[in-house]
Structure formats: structure tokens, C-alpha cells
């Protein structure tokens, strides 16, 4: 009874370690004591020698690799920080197993290849070209170079893209300071122009105001003169009808102006014409 149970358990263990399933998204390398013996790419149920052979699976799908930021010198001698990533697919699992070992180790092998291609290709382009539509052809060139170098890893590099391009921190700080200085200079120029325009407007307004006041004063003086002329004309026409009344009226007007102040003192000869009416009236 015990012997049969042990045999049954042994068969289960042999079957459990000897049978394995390959998914549609997988490809498997079978190794025997660490040495690869065959590759399985067809999905389904497969078998291997229990406890002697090992099945190592690799993904068939498109995978990404994140690259660290790299400072490169462009063709126009400008230095920029490039943040890039790549996409690859394992096309030869046996070579991939021998060259890389695992999917986790692909970054160690692919990282220097991509960074080297980035430095080489970007060293021949300018910043303006990198930021224009020519960026696509530049990235395709980098991809082709990386793919050529990565063939030995058993992978096909489908794409290499620059996620972000920044200036180095020291350059960014210098540019920000220069931009601030330029904005301050522009603000000073605008303020100076504003003050100049304000003075011109104020001067023009003062000039127009002075001209308007002078013209108004001239018109007033003309109107006064015309009024006085008309009044004198009326007086002349009115008093010419009675000369004695006119002389009396003008003399009384003179008295009113002369004796308007109570503390006025006059020294006049007795035969002066100014006092003629007062002598006649015995005032």
C-alpha cells in the first residue's frame, strides 16, 4: 500500500515537472544542466525531461526599456539633457538567452548601445533641427543604428524615442536670468516711452489750452471794445440832441467818480470849469 502510494506520488511529480504549457505570447528555451538544447515557439502543452531540463520562457510581445537621462553635445555645440526610451521584441530567444540571460538584464546590455547611438547621431544635428519635423528622421536613424548593434542580443529594436529634451540645469538658470534681464530692459524701455508720450501729451494739452485761453481773451476784448464803441455811439446819438444835458450828465458822472471816497481832498481854483455846476447851484 505504501509502496503504491509512493509510486503514484513519484509519477505525479514526474508529470508535474515534465509537462508544461507554452502560451501564445511566450517562447521557451529548454536547457539541460544550463546548456540550451532547443527552442519552443508553438503554443500548447509540451514536455521535457523532469529535473534535468529547465524551461525558460520569454515574452513575444513588444516591450519597453527606460533609459536614464543623457547629456549630449549637439551639432551646434549646444548641450542638452535627453530623456529617451526604446521598444524591442525578442526575435531569437536562444541568442537572447545566451547574450542577455533574462528580460531583466536587457537594460544592462541595451542601455550603453542606445546612449552611444544617441550621442553619435545627435552630435551631427542642431537644436532647431531636433525640435522640428526633422526629429522623426533623426530618431529613425538612431533606431537603425541601435537595431544593427542589438542584433547580437537576439532582439529587434522597433523604436527609439526622445521623451523630453531639456537644457542642463546651469544653462537653464543662465537662460532664465537672461530672459529676466531682457524683460526688465523691455519694461524700462516701455516705461520711458510712456513717460515721453505723457510729456508730449501734457505739453500739447498745455499749448492748446494756452492758445484757447488767448483766443478767448482776444474775443472778449474785441467784444468789450465793440460794446463800448456801440455804447459811445448810442451816447453820442442820444446826447447830440441836447448838448447842455450831455455836458450836465458827463459832469455829474465826473463828480461821482471824484467824490466816491469820503476822505478825498480837492484843491481847485474858483474859476475852474469842474466846479461850474456846483457854483451855479450854490453847492
Amino acid at each position: 500500500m505504501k509502496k503504491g502510494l509512493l509510486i503514484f506520488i513519484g509519477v505525479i511529480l514526474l508529470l508535474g515537472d515534465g509537462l508544461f504549457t507554452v502560451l501564445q505570447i511566450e517562447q521557451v528555451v529548454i536547457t539541460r544542466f544550463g546548456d540550451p538544447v532547443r527552442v519552443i515557439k508553438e503554443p500548447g502543452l509540451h514536455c521535457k525531461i523532469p529535473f534535468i531540463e529547465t524551461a525558460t520562457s520569454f515574452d513575444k510581445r513588444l516591450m519597453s526599456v527606460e533609459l536614464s537621462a543623457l547629456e549630449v553635445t549637439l551639432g551646434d555645440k549646444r548641450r542638452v539633457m535627453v530623456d529617451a526610451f526604446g521598444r524591442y521584441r525578442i526575435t531569437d530567444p536562444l541568442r537572447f538567452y545566451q547574450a542577455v540571460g533574462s528580460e531583466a538584464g536587457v537594460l544592462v546590455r541595451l542601455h550603453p548601445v542606445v546612449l552611444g547611438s544617441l550621442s553619435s547621431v545627435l552630435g551631427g544635428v542642431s537644436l532647431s533641427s531636433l525640435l522640428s519635423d526633422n526629429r522623426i528622421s533623426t530618431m529613425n536613424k538612431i533606431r537603425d543604428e541601435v537595431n544593427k548593434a542589438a542584433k547580437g542580443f537576439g532582439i529587434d529594436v522597433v523604436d527609439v524615442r526622445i521623451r523630453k529634451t531639456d537644457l542642463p540645469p546651469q544653462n537653464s538658470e543662465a537662460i532664465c536670468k537672461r530672459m529676466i534681464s531682457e524683460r526688465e530692459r523691455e519694461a524700462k524701455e516701455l516705461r520711458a516711452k510712456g513717460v515721453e508720450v505723457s510729456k508730449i501729451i501734457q505739453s500739447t494739452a498745455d499749448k492748446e489750452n494756452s492758445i484757447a485761453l488767448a483766443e478767448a481773451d482776444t474775443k472778449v476784448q474785441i467784444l468789450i471794445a465793440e460794446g463800448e464803441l456801440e455804447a459811445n455811439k448810442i451816447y453820442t446819438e442820444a446826447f447830440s440832441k441836447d448838448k447842455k444835458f450831455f455836458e450836465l450828465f458827463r459832469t455829474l458822472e465826473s463828480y461821482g467818480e471824484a467824490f466816491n471816497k469820503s476822505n478825498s481832498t480837492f484843491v481847485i481854483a474858483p474859476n475852474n470849469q469842474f466846479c461850474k455846476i456846483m457854483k451855479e447851484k450854490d453847492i
Side-chain angles (χ1 to χ4, degrees):
M1 183 68 179
K2 291 182 179 181
K3 184 177 180 180
L5 180 60
L6 291 175
I7 293 174
F8 177 75
I9 294 174
V11 171
I12 294 298
L13 291 175
L14 288 174
L15 291 176
D17 190 67
L19 298 177
F20 63 95
T21 302
V22 178
L23 302 178
Q24 290 183 341
I25 61 173
E26 292 179 330
Q27 46 194 343
V28 176
V29 175
I30 303 298
T31 58
R32 185 178 300 162
F33 301 115
D35 296 326
V37 293
R38 67 183 185 277
V39 176
I40 302 174
K41 294 185 178 182
E42 296 78 15
L45 185 63
H46 297 269
C47 61
K48 61 182 179 65
I49 301 175
F51 308 112
I52 294 178
E53 294 181 341
T54 303
T56 303
S57 63
F58 299 101
D59 205 318
K60 287 183 178 180
R61 294 173 295 180
L62 193 64
M63 292 178 286
S64 298
V65 56
E66 299 292 331
L67 306 172
S68 60
L70 174 68
E71 184 174 347
V72 297
T73 302
L74 300 179
D76 54 4
K77 306 305 180 183
R78 295 186 180 182
R79 298 192 64 81
V80 295
M81 297 296 296
V82 176
D83 185 7
F85 69 94
R87 292 191 179 95
Y88 71 95
R89 181 182 287 108
I90 300 174
T91 55
D92 188 342
L94 179 58
R95 180 174 293 182
F96 184 81
Y97 176 79
Q98 292 172 332
V100 180
S102 65
E103 294 173 1
V106 70
L107 179 62
V108 177
R109 302 300 301 274
L110 195 59
H111 190 270
V113 175
V114 177
L115 295 185
S117 297
L118 281 171
S119 299
S120 175
V121 175
L122 294 181
V125 300
S126 63
L127 180 60
S128 59
S129 178
L130 185 61
L131 300 178
S132 67
D133 294 339
N134 295 331
R135 176 193 186 100
I136 297 176
S137 61
T138 301
M139 299 313 303
N140 290 339
K141 186 176 181 181
I142 295 173
R143 178 203 61 196
D144 294 341
E145 286 197 5
V146 174
N147 196 28
K148 183 179 180 181
K151 288 294 184 182
F153 303 151
I155 64 176
D156 180 25
V157 178
V158 177
D159 196 11
V160 176
R161 293 292 172 186
I162 294 177
R163 181 186 295 109
K164 184 171 61 174
T165 303
D166 287 330
L167 294 172
Q170 60 272 20
N171 290 9
S172 299
E173 184 178 354
I175 289 175
C176 288
K177 289 182 178 179
R178 186 168 67 250
M179 290 177 65
I180 291 173
S181 299
E182 289 178 355
R183 296 299 178 271
E184 289 178 347
R185 179 182 58 80
E186 291 176 358
K188 289 180 180 178
E189 289 180 356
L190 290 174
R191 282 195 292 267
K193 289 181 179 178
V195 172
E196 182 180 357
V197 172
S198 175
K199 289 182 178 179
I200 292 173
I201 294 174
Q202 183 66 40
S203 176
T204 303
D206 292 342
K207 179 181 178 181
E208 292 178 352
N209 182 61
S210 299
I211 293 173
L213 290 176
E215 290 177 350
D217 186 63
T218 301
K219 290 180 180 180
V220 168
Q221 296 298 327
I222 292 173
L223 291 174
I224 291 174
E226 291 177 349
E228 290 179 348
L229 180 62
E230 186 66 23
N232 290 333
K233 183 179 179 182
I234 293 172
Y235 284 142
T236 302
E237 291 178 354
F239 295 132
S240 62
K241 297 177 180 180
D242 192 342
K243 293 183 179 180
K244 291 183 177 182
F245 176 76
F246 176 71
E247 292 177 358
L248 175 63
F249 179 80
R250 296 298 290 175
T251 303
L252 292 176
E253 274 189 342
S254 301
Y255 289 169
E257 292 177 0
F259 301 115
N260 188 26
K261 298 180 181 180
S262 59
N263 59 350
S264 298
T265 302
F266 294 90
V267 179
I268 301 173
N271 58 349
N272 192 288
Q273 294 296 322
F274 186 72
C275 299
K276 180 179 178 181
I277 295 177
M278 289 187 290
K279 290 172 62 179
E280 290 179 352
K281 301 299 180 180
D282 197 14
I283 299 175

